[in-house]
Amino acid sequence: MSHRVLVVDDEPEQGELLGDLLRRRGHQAEVVSSPTEALAVLAQHDIALVIADVHLGQGMTGLELCGKVRESWPDVPVIVVTGAGNLETAIGAIRAGAYDFVTKPLSADAIMVAVGRALDLRALRAEVGRLRREVDAQRPIHGILGESAALREVVELIRRVADSDATVLVTGESGTGKELVSRALHDLSPRRERPFVAINCAAVPANLLESELFGHVRGAFTDAKRDRVGLFEQAPGGTVFLDEIGEMPAEMQAKLLRVLQERRVRPIGGEEEREFDARVVCATNRDLESEVEAGRFREDLFYRVNVVNIHVPPLRDRGADVLALAQHFLGKIATRGGRSVPGLSPPAARLLLAYDWPGNVRELENCVERALALARGDEVVVDDLPEKIRGYQPTRLVVGGDDVSELITLEEMERRYVRKVLATVGGNKSQAARVLGIDRRSLYRRLETSTTDGGAD
C-alpha cells in the first residue's frame, strides 16, 4: 500500500536519495530541507510518516521537530536519522516522541524495515481508534437513560459534536438534565482527561461572578487577600460549563463576550491578559431569543454561545422513558439505603406514564425517593405515590366525546392547548406565539394564568 512520507534533511542530495528509495518501494515522498517547510507540509497534506535528520541546522533540531509533530499530529510516527549511534542520541529521540531512530550511513534494508514497522503501527492505531469509536457509538452515555425518539436525537447530536471545540448551548426546562448533557459532551470529547468545571451563574452574586470566572490578583478589592485563579484557567485543556447563562447580568455579558472572542482572560486588578484553552458549554431554561428581543440578553453573545444548540426534551415528551428512569432511581436509592430494589406495580406505572411532570426528571427522582420511603412490600403501589400524581387529570384535548365527564370548558381547553403548543416547539415562546397567532405579551399572560390555576408552563 502506498503512503505519503515526509523526508526532512538540510542536505538536499541526501534527502532526495532517501526520497528516491521510498518511491522505488511504492511510496509517495515529499522532501524538504527545513523544519518550517516540514510543518507547512504537515498542515496541508495527509502525511503518514516523517523521517527527519537529527541535525537540521536551521533553528530547530530534528528532535525538536519530532516534539512538535508529536504535539500537533500525534498519530504521525517519526523516525530520526542520526550519524551518532550512541545511547544518548537514542534516549533523546525516544524522549522527543520518536517511534524509532536509524544511524548513518543508511542501509536501504534497515530504513525500509523501520518504515514498515512505523506504518504498521500507524495502521494499528487507526484500526483501534475506529473500533473504539464504534463501541462508543453503541455504549449508553452515563446518566442519560431512555430509548424515546426525542432522547435518541439528543444522544446522536451529543456524539456528533463531542469531538468539536464548538461552543454549545444546552436548552430545556428546569430539571430535564442539561448538566448531564454537558458532562456527556466533555466525557466523549478528546478533553475527557482534563478538568470539567461548572458554575451556576444564577447562584453567584453579580459582584462576585467576575472573580469566579476570571480570577483576581491580591489587593484587587478589600477581601482579595491572595491571587485567585478563575474558572477559565482552572480547566486547562478541559471544559467550562456556564449553567443558567440567561441569568447573567448585562455588564458580565459584555465581559464574557470579549473573553470568548479573544480566548483570553484578565483577572480583576491584573495588568496582563492570559490565554486559556477550554471548551465552553452553556445552559439555560430561558428562551434566549425572546430575551434578546426583550433587551435582556446581548444578541452578539447569543450568537457566540449558540454555535450548536442541543435542546433537551421535557420528560412528558419522552413516553416510556419515565418508567426506565423510575426503575433506575429505585435501584440507586434502594442500594444506597441497603435495601432490596422494589418494582413498580402496573397501576402505579400507569399513573407515572400519565402524569405531566412539570418538574421533569428532577421531580421524578423526588417522587421515587418519597415512594420508596413509604413502600412496605416488594413493589411501589399507587398509595406510595404523591397525591398530585394519584389525582392527576391528563391534559389531552377532548373536542367531541360521548362522556359528559370528559368535556371541559373553553377556558380549560385554551389553557391546555397553549401548554401543548409550547411543549411541541420545545419551549420556544416566540415560536409558540407565532403558532398561536398572538403576540408574546398575550402568551405570557396566558402562561401566568395557567400557573395561577395550577398548570405548569
Side-chain angles (χ1 to χ4, degrees):
M1 181 177 180
S2 178
H3 296 274
R4 179 172 283 182
V5 181
L6 175 62
V7 178
V8 191
D9 196 318
D10 62 344
E11 297 183 17
E13 292 182 359
Q14 294 294 324
E16 284 299 336
L17 284 174
L18 183 51
D20 288 341
L21 172 63
L22 291 165
R23 295 182 189 106
R24 289 197 302 271
R25 298 299 177 92
H27 298 295
Q28 304 172 56
E30 300 277 347
V31 181
V32 298
S33 59
S34 73
T36 302
E37 291 177 281
L39 294 173
V41 171
L42 281 160
Q44 296 172 9
H45 301 285
D46 182 18
I47 299 297
L49 171 67
V50 174
I51 304 175
D53 195 285
V54 71
H55 298 297
L56 295 178
Q58 297 192 35
M60 185 186 301
T61 68
L63 299 187
E64 290 171 333
L65 174 62
C66 179
K68 287 188 176 295
V69 173
R70 183 66 180 265
E71 179 181 342
S72 300
W73 298 276
D75 293 331
V76 178
V78 180
I79 296 174
V80 173
V81 178
T82 176
N86 55 45
L87 182 61
E88 183 179 350
T89 303
I91 292 174
I94 300 304
R95 284 179 174 172
Y99 167 71
D100 201 354
F101 79 103
V102 292
T103 59
K104 296 178 180 179
L106 293 179
S107 158
D109 289 340
I111 190 67
M112 292 313 301
V113 166
V115 166
R117 287 200 304 253
L119 292 174
D120 286 345
L121 172 68
R122 176 182 167 87
L124 179 61
R125 286 176 175 172
E127 179 65 11
V128 169
R130 184 187 67 79
L131 292 173
R132 182 179 291 119
R133 286 191 296 272
E134 286 186 2
V135 171
D136 286 344
Q138 300 300 321
R139 181 185 299 137
I141 298 176
H142 177 70
I144 301 180
L145 303 175
E147 294 295 331
S148 65
L151 189 68
R152 285 200 302 269
E153 288 182 10
V154 171
V155 171
E156 173 63 21
L157 190 51
I158 290 172
R159 295 192 190 281
R160 287 176 60 188
V161 304
D163 284 346
S164 166
D165 279 338
T167 305
V168 177
L169 178 64
V170 185
T171 58
E173 297 176 9
S174 179
T176 50
K178 295 187 291 296
E179 184 166 351
L180 281 177
V181 170
S182 303
R183 286 189 177 275
L185 285 166
H186 175 76
D187 292 342
L188 294 177
S189 77
R191 298 175 178 267
R192 65 177 67 89
E193 302 299 330
R194 308 301 296 170
F196 176 94
V197 297
I199 187 171
N200 186 328
C201 298
V204 180
N207 61 329
L208 297 180
L209 187 56
E210 182 176 1
S211 175
E212 290 291 321
L213 292 176
F214 310 143
H216 63 251
V217 300
R218 180 182 177 184
F221 46 84
T222 304
D223 294 328
K225 306 298 184 185
R226 60 181 182 275
D227 289 357
R228 174 186 174 84
V229 176
L231 259 66
F232 282 91
E233 292 184 274
Q234 290 177 27
T239 302
V240 172
F241 175 49
L242 305 179
D243 198 7
E244 302 299 353
I245 192 173
E247 311 297 328
M248 183 174 284
E251 182 181 356
M252 273 303 302
Q253 292 178 29
K255 294 178 179 179
L256 176 62
L257 174 64
R258 186 176 186 279
V259 165
L260 296 181
Q261 287 175 333
E262 303 296 331
R263 307 294 297 179
R264 301 172 70 88
V265 295
R266 176 182 293 176
I268 299 175
E271 296 182 356
E272 296 182 356
E273 292 186 333
R274 305 168 182 168
E275 291 186 1
F276 70 90
D277 173 25
R279 184 185 196 174
V280 178
V281 178
C282 305
T284 182
N285 60 13
R286 290 182 176 270
D287 178 358
L288 286 191
E289 288 188 82
S290 296
E291 295 295 295
V292 168
E293 292 178 13
R296 290 186 292 267
F297 198 84
R298 293 181 63 108
E299 183 176 23
D300 44 9
L301 179 58
F302 171 70
Y303 289 119
R304 179 65 61 175
V305 301
N306 192 39
V307 177
V308 177
N309 176 251
I310 298 179
H311 181 75
V312 187
L315 189 54
R316 61 181 171 272
D317 290 346
R318 292 176 52 184
D321 284 358
V322 171
L323 300 185
L325 286 164
Q327 196 61 56
H328 166 73
F329 291 137
L330 281 172
K332 183 178 77 170
I333 298 166
T335 302
R336 189 172 63 205
R339 58 181 292 183
S340 60
V341 181
L344 283 168
S345 72
R350 283 195 293 271
L351 286 177
L352 294 182
L353 284 171
Y355 185 59
D356 208 26
W357 300 109
N360 292 294
V361 179
R362 187 180 297 130
E363 182 183 7
L364 174 61
E365 183 172 12
N366 176 271
C367 167
V368 168
E369 186 167 11
R370 175 193 185 277
L372 189 59
L374 296 176
R376 291 295 175 261
D378 58 0
E379 282 188 330
V380 168
V381 299
V382 170
D383 287 344
D384 299 326
L385 300 177
E387 193 282 329
K388 64 181 178 180
I389 295 178
R390 298 198 305 269
Y392 178 70
Q393 295 296 317
T395 58
R396 59 192 175 93
L397 299 179
V398 181
V399 177
D402 296 328
D403 188 345
V404 175
S405 65
E406 288 187 335
L407 299 177
I408 58 176
T409 65
L410 285 172
E411 182 180 359
E412 175 66 8
M413 179 175 286
E414 180 186 85
R415 182 175 72 85
R416 294 186 187 183
Y417 184 63
V418 167
R419 291 169 57 195
K420 178 63 177 175
V421 169
L422 190 61
T424 302
V425 299
N428 187 314
K429 295 184 178 66
S430 296
Q431 188 176 352
R434 287 194 293 271
V435 171
L436 293 166
I438 58 178
D439 58 33
R440 286 197 322 278
R441 187 171 301 175
S442 298
L443 175 61
Y444 291 140
R445 282 200 302 270
R446 284 168 169 78
L447 291 174
E448 289 170 2
T449 302
S450 172
T451 304
T452 303
D453 291 343
D457 57 26

